[in-house]
Amino acid sequence: GGYLKRESDKEQITNDLQSENLLPVYLSKRLIEQFYEGFSNDTIWPVFHYFLQFANFNHDLYDAYEEANSIFCDAVMQVAQEDDIIWIHDYHLLLLPLMIRKKLPGVGIGFFQHIPFPSYEVFRMIPWRKRLLRGILGSDLIGFHTYDDMRHFLSSVSRLVGIPNTRGRIETDNRIIEVDSFPMGIDYNKFAMAATAPKTIDHEIKLRNSLGKQKLIISIDRLDYSKGLPQRLEAFEYFLDNYTEYHEKVSLIMVVVPSRDKVAQYKELK
């Protein structure tokens, strides 16, 4: 998401990333605004999270999204071989699988969606819905977090593109595409050990000393309208209004991590 003006900075970052076996993709300031802040997070994100009232259906933003996906494709072509397996991640690059497929027909492509996939009734509101679906269908394996997300995707493919499936398998263009759900969890041991770490205990002691004998409710989330942050405050207010015996006995601590602060809805939420 960083925009660099100086070529010397690009050269430095390219060299640093190559030492980590990474290849950067440089986008213009306009593309970052219209592709990332625009179509990705001002169109796809709200629709996929069922916040249609925030969605911005703008042709210029979609054109930038397509252009950025094409730039990513060109970057992949610099290093990809016919026998490679290429993994593509998330809603920013829905068009990329098909773009790569057209240039490397025999390559193995996997795509994983890290956010929900909405129901057909919601997804069809996007004017470029068929292009997005066909882009994803350039993959050999398509993964989602949940079975519902998978089912919504297959329904949209069937109704909008006219391609049926058999138990999550789609046959098209002489290829078989596997669609499945792959739930992700957390590193349980890491969190369990963190709870008893001296640094954690010291922090807890300081926190409790500053608040006195209070019951604590802790909320940790990104600054995002899909997280229900105002609703949590309203719920806490409802609790205090209806259970006055808990006044000055309970504290709500909300840790809100800044996110996409250039997008209008996020500014308003902050």
Side-chain angles (χ1 to χ4, degrees):
Y3 168 63
L4 303 175
K5 291 183 178 180
R6 296 187 301 182
E7 287 299 320
S8 58
D9 290 337
K10 292 182 180 179
E11 291 175 7
Q12 179 65 48
I13 287 178
T14 299
N15 292 332
D16 290 344
L17 289 175
Q18 282 180 344
S19 66
E20 301 289 339
N21 201 29
L22 298 171
L23 178 69
V25 178
Y26 294 108
L27 302 178
S28 67
K29 186 177 181 181
R30 174 190 65 84
L31 270 185
I32 291 173
E33 291 174 353
Q34 295 185 340
F35 151 69
Y36 179 73
E37 298 168 14
F39 194 80
S40 294
N41 290 307
D42 218 15
T43 304
I44 295 178
W45 178 273
V47 173
F48 280 37
H49 286 86
Y50 298 90
F51 285 87
L52 281 168
Q53 69 272 28
F54 295 149
N56 182 6
F57 300 118
N58 181 294
H59 284 278
D60 291 337
L61 298 184
Y62 174 78
D63 289 343
Y65 182 83
E66 193 171 89
E67 182 183 349
N69 273 250
S70 179
I71 292 173
F72 271 86
C73 181
D74 292 340
V76 172
M77 289 303 106
Q78 293 179 31
V79 294
Q81 304 294 323
E82 278 285 356
D83 59 346
D84 281 343
I85 296 175
I86 300 172
W87 275 104
I88 300 168
H89 289 271
D90 225 3
Y91 63 102
H92 315 85
L93 301 172
L94 299 180
L95 301 175
L96 186 56
L98 182 59
M99 290 180 174
I100 294 175
R101 176 71 58 200
K102 289 180 177 179
K103 295 189 176 184
L104 289 175
V107 78
I109 301 175
F111 174 82
F112 189 82
Q113 173 92 340
H114 290 266
I115 66 173
F117 196 93
S119 66
Y120 157 74
E121 290 79 10
V122 172
F123 180 76
R124 67 178 177 175
M125 299 297 178
I126 302 176
W128 310 274
R129 51 195 176 269
K130 291 183 181 180
R131 297 185 195 179
L132 297 176
L133 288 176
R134 290 192 179 105
I136 300 171
L137 290 173
S139 311
D140 296 295
L141 175 64
I142 302 169
F144 298 94
H145 278 297
T146 70
Y147 175 77
D148 282 346
D149 296 332
M150 167 191 165
R151 181 171 55 85
H152 291 161
F153 172 76
L154 291 173
S155 175
S156 291
V157 170
S158 175
R159 296 187 182 197
L160 294 171
V161 188
I163 304 176
N165 72 90
T166 303
R167 296 181 180 178
R169 302 182 78 183
I170 298 172
E171 188 171 350
T172 181
D173 299 329
N174 297 316
R175 294 186 298 115
I176 294 178
I177 304 167
E178 297 278 354
V179 184
D180 209 342
S181 60
F182 304 98
M184 295 176 66
I186 64 170
D187 184 344
Y188 172 81
N189 290 329
K190 178 180 179 180
F191 281 87
M193 292 175 64
T196 58
K199 184 178 180 181
T200 306
I201 294 172
D202 289 343
H203 189 68
E204 181 185 358
I205 291 172
K206 291 178 182 177
L207 191 61
R208 291 194 178 278
N209 286 341
S210 67
L211 293 170
K213 293 183 178 181
Q214 295 272 316
K215 295 288 186 181
L216 301 182
I217 303 172
I218 299 179
S219 163
I220 304 175
D221 268 303
R222 284 194 307 110
L223 180 67
D224 191 300
Y225 52 74
S226 68
K227 306 302 181 184
L229 299 175
Q231 289 77 14
R232 295 183 196 192
L233 291 172
E234 290 172 2
F236 189 55
E237 182 180 43
Y238 180 86
F239 166 72
L240 294 175
D241 285 343
N242 287 273
Y243 298 93
T244 56
E245 66 270 24
Y246 286 99
H247 284 191
E248 300 184 8
K249 296 180 180 178
V250 179
S251 288
L252 168 64
I253 298 173
M254 297 183 71
V255 180
V256 182
V257 182
S259 176
R260 302 176 191 138
D261 53 4
K262 295 182 180 180
V263 178
Q265 285 83 14
Y266 294 80
K267 288 182 180 179
E268 185 179 345
L269 180 60
K270 184 177 180 180

